[in-house]
Amino acid sequence: MLNTALFAVSCLTLLERSQVSAAVTVYNSDSTATAAYDATQVTGLPNFDNTVLTPPTPPSPAVTQIAWSVPSTEDGLTSQGYELGVKQRGNFLGFSVELSVADQITGHSVGKNPVNLKVPFLNYLANIRNRAGMGPLVRVGGNSQEASTLYTDGFAGNAIIQKVKVDGCLQTVTPTINYSPDIFYMMSNISSTVDAHWFFGLSFNQSAVETMSTNVPLVAQTAQQMLGYHLLGLQLSNEPDLYTDHNKRAAGWTVDNFTTEYAEVRTEILNDATLENKQFLIGPSVCCDKVGFELDDVFATGWLDQEKDNLAYVAVQHYPEDNCGVNGNYLNAQDIYSEWLNHTSATNLTVPYFNGTRAAIAAGKEMIMFETNTASCGGFAGLSDSFAASLWMADYALQMAYRNFTAALIHVGGQSVFYNPFTPPPSNMTDTWKWTTGSIYYSTLAVAETLGPSNNSQVVDLSPQNDNIYAPMYAIYENGAPVRLALFNYVSDSSGASDYTATISLGGADLPSGNISVRYMRAPSVAEKYNITWANQTMGAAYTSDGRLYREQETVSIQCDTTAKTCSIPVYAPSMALVFLTTGAMQEAVSSEQATATFATTYVNVGSATVDPAALSTGNGQMGSSATGATSEGSAQTSGTAGILAVPSIMAVLLVASTTFALRAFN
Ligand SMILES: *[C@@H]1O[C@H](CO)[C@@H](O)[C@H](O)[C@H]1NC(C)=O
Ligand SMILES: *[C@@H]1O[C@H](CO)[C@@H](O)[C@H](O)[C@H]1NC(C)=O
Ligand SMILES: *[C@@H]1O[C@H](CO)[C@@H](O)[C@H](O)[C@H]1NC(C)=O
Ligand SMILES: *[C@@H]1O[C@H](CO)[C@@H](O)[C@H](O)[C@H]1NC(C)=O
Ligand SMILES: *[C@@H]1O[C@H](CO)[C@@H](O)[C@H](O)[C@H]1NC(C)=O
Ligand SMILES: *[C@@H]1O[C@H](CO)[C@@H](O)[C@H](O)[C@H]1NC(C)=O
Ligand SMILES: *[C@@H]1O[C@H](CO)[C@@H](O)[C@H](O)[C@H]1NC(C)=O
Ligand SMILES: *[C@@H]1O[C@H](CO)[C@@H](O)[C@H](O)[C@H]1NC(C)=O
Ligand SMILES: *[C@@H]1O[C@H](CO)[C@@H](O)[C@H](O)[C@H]1NC(C)=O
Ligand SMILES: *[C@@H]1O[C@H](CO)[C@@H](O)[C@H](O)[C@H]1NC(C)=O
Ligand SMILES: *[C@@H]1O[C@H](CO)[C@@H](O)[C@H](O)[C@H]1NC(C)=O
Ligand SMILES: *[C@@H]1O[C@H](CO)[C@@H](O)[C@H](O)[C@H]1NC(C)=O
C-alpha cells in the first residue's frame, strides 16, 4: 500500500556495482560512514514522536457491572448459537519485517560468513516463544520484495541487503532490493536460538522469470535448503490488487491476468528449482478492497483450485486506515482515534474474509493475515504508538482467531513509521539498551498467553451477550471446556469511575475449585505510549529497551463465590484482563522465570550486539527448562554459538546506515 514512498538517501555512501547498469546507483547498508549520536536528530524521527492524542470522553453513565455466562461445554455454547473457531497455536501473532529494513532489525553480516544478530530482536522473539511454547512467526518481505534478486556471490563488505535506486539521490522512489545468501544464514541462526519460523517474499513478475532477469527459482531452492522446516512458505505476489495503481502492471491487468501469471511463475519455479517441499507458495495477498480484485474475486477465477497442490497457505493483507495522504488528503488522527477504541473495528474487519476462509479451509489450507497494523503508510502519530493500538491489536487478533485465521503478522517498517512493535536506535548509539518498544508489541505477549502453548485452543467471541462495544469478551476453550477468558475495557478513565466488574458464571456449572488467576495489560490512558505493562512487567520508554521485560511479574489471585457460582473480575479503564479459569491453564502459563528468559546483552556495540557465548548458554539453559521444550537447543547450540559470534574488531564496520537511509512508509 505504498503511494507516497519517500526514499530519502544521503549520497555519501554510493557504490557502483558491476552487476547493475551504469544508470543505477547502489547504496550499501554496510557503509563505513559514521554519524555521531545526536539527540535532536533523534527527536525528529517519526518513530520517536511525542504526539499525545486526547482519549474519547468516557461514555456516560459509566457501565460498572457486566455479567457473563460462559457455557461450560461446547454443546452449551452451540445451543446458545455460538461456535468455536478452529484450533490455534500460541504464536498466532507474529511479525512482518519489510525486506528493505531486515538488516536493521534482525542482524547483518560481519566478515565473510558469521552473522551478527541483534540481541534485542532475539529477546522480542524469545518472549513470544516462552509464552507460545513454540517459536514466533516472522515474515521478511513487503513491497520491497518485488524485483528483488538473490546475489549468490554476495556484496562488497558482506552486506546482506543492497538497495538499488534508478533515479538521482533525492528522488522519491521505491528502491529495488537485492540480497545475499547471508540473509538466509542469518534467519537460520535466529531459528537456532529462538525457533523462529519464517515466511519469505519472492518477486512476482512472469517476464522477469522467463527471461531469467530475476532468479526466483534459485531463491526458492536456496531458502528451502538453508531454512528447512523453519521455512513455512514463500510469498508470491504482494498486494497484486494495487499493481496497476503502482505501475507494476499495465492498466487492464485484471484478476484473470493475475491467475494466469501466477500459474506461469509457479511452473517456472517448479521447472527450474529442486524443491524438497512443493507445497511452498503463499498468495494471493490482496489487501485493499479493490472492487473486482478482492479475495472472493481471485477465488472466482479458479486460482485456489489451480494452485492448491503447491500452496502452503492462503494469505490476505489489510490495514483498517491509511496515512498515505492520497491526493494530499491526510486524515487527522485525533478525529479518527475512536475507530481503534471499540470492538466494531475487530468484528467488521474479518467479515470480508468469511467466504474465502471457508474455501481455503475446505482446500486444506490455513488462512493468514500476512501484514497488518493500525494504518498503512506508517500509521499515525499518537495513535499507532499508543495503548489504544495494544488493545485494538489484541482484540482484532482474537477476532481473527475466532473467524478461523491461524496467524496474523504485525508489520515492522523503518525508522520513519509510527507503528513499529520495536525499533532499533537511530545511530551508532553505544549500547543495546536503546531500542524502543512500541505499544503494539504488548499485544503479542497478551495474545500468546491468551491462546497458550497447547496448540489446541479455540476462540469464541461472546461479546453479543452484552453488546457493549467498549467491553468485548472472548472465551478460549480447550477440549470442549473453557480455560481462559480475555476481557477488554476500551474506556480511558483514570478516575476509576469507568472500571467495571465482570461477574463470570459457567452457566450454572460449578466453578473450578480454588482461586482463579488474572493477568492484566494496563496503562493509565489509551493515549499512553510507554507506561504499558503486561502482568506488571514493562519494557520502558523510548531508547531504553533491550527487548526484555522488567519488574516483577504479577498474577492476581481472585477468590470466587462458590455458593453463587460466580467470580468477580475487576476490569480497569483501560485494560485487557486475561482470566485463567483452571489450575491447568495457570500451570501451562509462562512462569515468572520463563517470562524473562532471554538473552543478556553483555557484549554491546553500535546499536547492535553480538551474543556473548556465556549469555547464550545461559539463555539456552533457561530455555531448556522452560515450557517450550520443543526446540532442539541442545543440538543447535554448538553451531549456533559458533555462527553468531562476531569478531569484535570487525564491529567497527557495523554502522548500519540507519541515519543515512530514512525509509518512509513501506506500508
Ligand atoms: C559513533 O560515531 C562517532 C562519530 O563518528 C564516533 O566517534 C564513535 O566512535 C562511534 N561509536 C562507535 C561505537 O563506533
Ligand atoms: C549460522 O550462520 C552461519 C553463516 O553465517 C552458518 O555457517 C551457520 O551454519 C549458521 N548456523 C546455524 C546453526 O544456523
Ligand atoms: C518484469 O520483468 C521484465 C523483464 O525483466 C521487466 O522489463 C519489467 O519491467 C518487470 N516489471 C516490473 C513491474 O517489475
Ligand atoms: C490480460 O489477459 C488478456 C487475456 O489473456 C490479454 O489479452 C491481456 O493483454 C492481458 N492484459 C494485461 C494488461 O496483461
Ligand atoms: C467504533 O468503531 C467503529 C469502527 O472502527 C467506528 O466507525 C465508530 O465510530 C466507533 N464508534 C464510536 C462510538 O466511537
Ligand atoms: C464495516 O465494514 C463495511 C465494509 O466491509 C463498511 O462499509 C462499514 O462502514 C463498516 N462499518 C463500520 C462501523 O466501520
Ligand atoms: C459470500 O458468499 C455468499 C454466497 O455466495 C454471498 O451472498 C456473499 O455476498 C459473500 N460474501 C462476501 C463478503 O463476499
Ligand atoms: C470457523 O470454523 C468453524 C469450525 O470448522 C466453523 O464452525 C465456523 O463456521 C467457521 N467460521 C467462519 C467465520 O467461517
Ligand atoms: C505445537 O506445535 C508445534 C509446531 O507444530 C510443536 O513444535 C509443539 O510441540 C506443539 N506443542 C504441543 C503442546 O503439542
Ligand atoms: C503507570 O501506569 C500505572 C497504571 O497502569 C500507574 O499506576 C502509574 O502511576 C503510572 N506511572 C507513571 C510514572 O506514570
Ligand atoms: C510490580 O513490579 C514492581 C517492580 O518490580 C514491584 O515493586 C511491585 O511489587 C510489582 N507489583 C505487583 C502488584 O506485583
Ligand atoms: C484467593 O484470593 C483471595 C483474594 O481474592 C486471597 O486473599 C487469597 O490469598 C487467595 N488464595 C490463594 C490460595 O491464592
Side-chain angles (χ1 to χ4, degrees):
M1 272 192 268
L2 176 66
N3 289 322
T4 54
L6 182 84
F7 188 60
V9 189
S10 146
C11 296
L12 282 173
T13 60
L14 309 191
L15 225 143
E16 295 275 305
R17 289 190 56 84
S18 54
Q19 287 102 321
V20 288
S21 77
V24 173
T25 314
V26 177
Y27 302 84
N28 265 340
S29 56
D30 65 330
S31 156
T32 49
T34 53
Y37 168 57
D38 174 352
T40 57
Q41 217 183 321
V42 169
T43 52
L45 284 168
N47 185 62
F48 311 98
D49 185 274
N50 288 325
T51 306
V52 175
L53 301 180
T54 305
T57 312
S60 177
V63 173
T64 56
Q65 296 286 337
I66 300 181
W68 295 104
S69 173
V70 180
S72 60
T73 63
E74 192 176 346
D75 285 347
L77 201 60
T78 312
S79 68
Q80 287 185 25
Y82 291 97
E83 59 187 12
L84 293 171
V86 295
K87 289 182 179 173
Q88 299 292 345
R89 295 171 291 262
N91 64 357
F92 183 96
L93 206 44
F95 305 105
S96 157
V97 178
E98 187 69 42
L99 174 63
S100 56
V101 299
D103 54 350
Q104 294 174 26
I105 306 282
T106 58
H108 41 265
S109 276
V110 288
K112 181 60 192 144
N113 265 323
V115 167
N116 175 30
L117 303 182
K118 307 259 182 176
V119 172
F121 180 68
L122 295 180
N123 286 338
Y124 286 115
L125 298 187
N127 293 327
I128 295 175
R129 193 274 314 271
N130 294 349
R131 286 164 176 76
M134 63 182 296
L137 305 175
V138 189
R139 170 242 194 161
V140 175
N143 285 311
S144 52
Q145 80 194 37
E146 301 295 2
S148 63
T149 300
L150 171 66
Y151 280 59
T152 47
D153 294 340
F155 307 116
N158 303 299
I160 281 177
I161 282 173
Q162 181 200 53
K163 299 168 191 181
V164 185
K165 190 159 75 70
V166 182
D167 302 303
C169 287
L170 298 171
Q171 301 289 315
T172 296
V173 292
T174 308
T176 295
I177 304 295
N178 298 319
Y179 44 89
S180 88
D182 278 348
I183 198 166
F184 300 120
Y185 277 121
M186 175 181 75
M187 290 158 73
S188 165
N189 284 174
I190 292 172
S191 293
S192 345
T193 56
V194 294
D195 191 34
H197 291 71
W198 300 94
F199 304 105
F200 191 77
L202 302 175
S203 171
F204 180 51
N205 178 343
Q206 172 230 329
S207 57
V209 177
E210 275 173 4
T211 58
M212 295 176 69
S213 57
T214 63
N215 51 7
V216 163
L218 183 63
V219 175
Q221 183 176 317
T222 308
Q224 283 200 356
Q225 281 169 353
M226 291 171 77
L227 294 170
Y229 79 95
H230 281 116
L231 180 71
L232 295 176
L234 295 163
Q235 184 191 30
L236 187 64
S237 78
N238 177 68
E239 304 182 348
D241 45 331
L242 297 186
Y243 279 174
T244 58
D245 288 357
H246 291 172
N247 299 319
K248 288 178 181 169
R249 293 294 184 279
W253 188 81
T254 63
V255 71
D256 291 307
N257 294 84
F258 165 80
T259 295
T260 306
E261 185 167 340
Y262 208 95
E264 283 164 352
V265 177
R266 185 243 312 144
T267 304
E268 290 282 342
I269 296 173
L270 290 171
N271 285 345
D272 295 354
T274 308
L275 298 180
E276 180 116 341
N277 177 2
K278 292 198 167 62
Q279 288 198 6
F280 68 112
L281 290 175
I282 297 170
S285 310
V286 290
C287 63
C288 296
D289 304 335
K290 283 275 171 185
V291 174
F293 218 131
E294 295 185 62
L295 183 64
D296 289 356
D297 301 316
V298 175
F299 282 7
T301 66
W303 178 87
L304 183 60
D305 277 343
Q306 171 189 286
E307 297 302 327
K308 69 180 178 208
D309 290 348
N310 300 110
L311 280 181
Y313 299 88
V314 174
V316 291
Q317 305 185 175
H318 193 72
Y319 296 70
E321 282 286 3
D322 73 74
N323 191 17
C324 303
V326 180
N327 302 322
N329 297 322
Y330 286 94
L331 294 164
N332 179 335
Q334 183 65 63
D335 296 345
I336 55 173
Y337 202 18
S338 58
E339 286 180 29
W340 287 265
L341 285 166
N342 74 66
H343 188 49
T344 308
S345 174
T347 52
N348 212 30
L349 285 169
T350 56
V351 174
Y353 307 117
F354 285 179
N355 284 354
T357 302
R358 282 188 198 112
I361 290 172
K365 306 300 166 190
E366 293 182 24
M367 183 77 166
I368 304 183
M369 175 55 67
F370 217 58
E371 181 180 321
T372 190
N373 208 311
T374 40
S376 62
C377 287
F380 292 97
L383 187 161
S384 301
D385 50 359
S386 73
F387 187 58
S390 326
L391 291 174
W392 171 82
M393 190 69 244
D395 184 9
Y396 181 30
L398 293 176
Q399 187 70 29
M400 285 188 272
Y402 168 47
R403 294 310 194 178
N404 296 343
F405 281 75
T406 51
L409 309 177
I410 301 175
H411 200 55
V412 186
Q415 301 280 347
S416 310
V417 301
F418 299 107
Y419 57 45
N420 284 342
F422 35 73
T423 312
S427 68
N428 70 339
M429 292 162 82
T430 48
D431 70 49
T432 49
W433 294 68
K434 300 291 192 203
W435 284 52
T436 299
T437 305
S439 59
I440 206 164
Y441 179 75
Y442 291 88
S443 326
T444 66
L445 304 176
V447 169
E449 288 197 34
T450 302
L451 297 174
S454 73
N455 297 340
N456 197 21
S457 51
Q458 294 176 274
V459 180
V460 57
D461 180 3
L462 291 179
S463 307
Q465 269 188 22
N466 278 292
D467 221 12
N468 177 335
I469 58 171
Y470 303 108
M473 196 274 263
Y474 295 89
I476 289 57
Y477 284 66
E478 283 175 3
N479 304 314
V483 289
R484 287 177 294 274
L485 308 174
L487 300 117
F488 292 77
N489 190 342
Y490 271 113
V491 179
S492 193
D493 182 358
S494 58
S495 76
S498 305
D499 294 355
Y500 70 83
T501 301
T503 306
I504 314 285
S505 72
L506 299 185
D510 283 339
L511 292 159
S513 59
N515 284 3
I516 61 169
S517 302
V518 187
R519 285 180 181 163
Y520 291 97
M521 182 165 72
R522 287 193 73 177
S525 153
V526 294
E528 176 63 44
K529 290 174 195 278
Y530 301 118
N531 180 18
I532 298 173
T533 54
W534 168 250
N536 192 46
Q537 298 189 301
T538 189
M539 299 188 150
Y543 313 122
T544 64
S545 186
D546 65 350
R548 287 190 285 182
L549 286 159
Y550 287 87
R551 300 175 19 125
E552 270 166 48
Q553 186 192 46
E554 178 191 18
T555 307
V556 178
S557 187
I558 291 177
Q559 205 159 29
C560 298
D561 181 336
T562 47
T563 312
K565 299 181 180 174
T566 57
C567 302
S568 297
I569 319 289
V571 187
Y572 308 105
S575 73
M576 178 194 131
L578 171 59
V579 180
F580 297 87
L581 289 174
T582 65
T583 352
M586 199 59 235
Q587 274 162 357
E588 68 179 14
V590 71
S591 71
S592 61
E593 296 75 42
Q594 295 157 354
T596 49
T598 45
F599 302 93
T601 49
T602 45
Y603 188 85
V604 293
N605 206 307
V606 288
S608 68
T610 53
V611 178
D612 174 350
L616 185 68
S617 55
T618 309
N620 278 334
Q622 287 167 334
M623 281 177 255
S625 67
S626 80
T628 74
T631 56
S632 53
E633 250 97 38
S635 56
Q637 193 173 329
T638 318
S639 55
T641 306
I644 55 186
L645 284 181
V647 184
S649 63
I650 304 176
M651 295 301 287
V653 301
L654 282 184
L655 305 180
V656 192
S658 46
T659 49
T660 336
F661 291 93
L663 270 184
R664 157 127 170 96
F666 287 94
N667 279 298

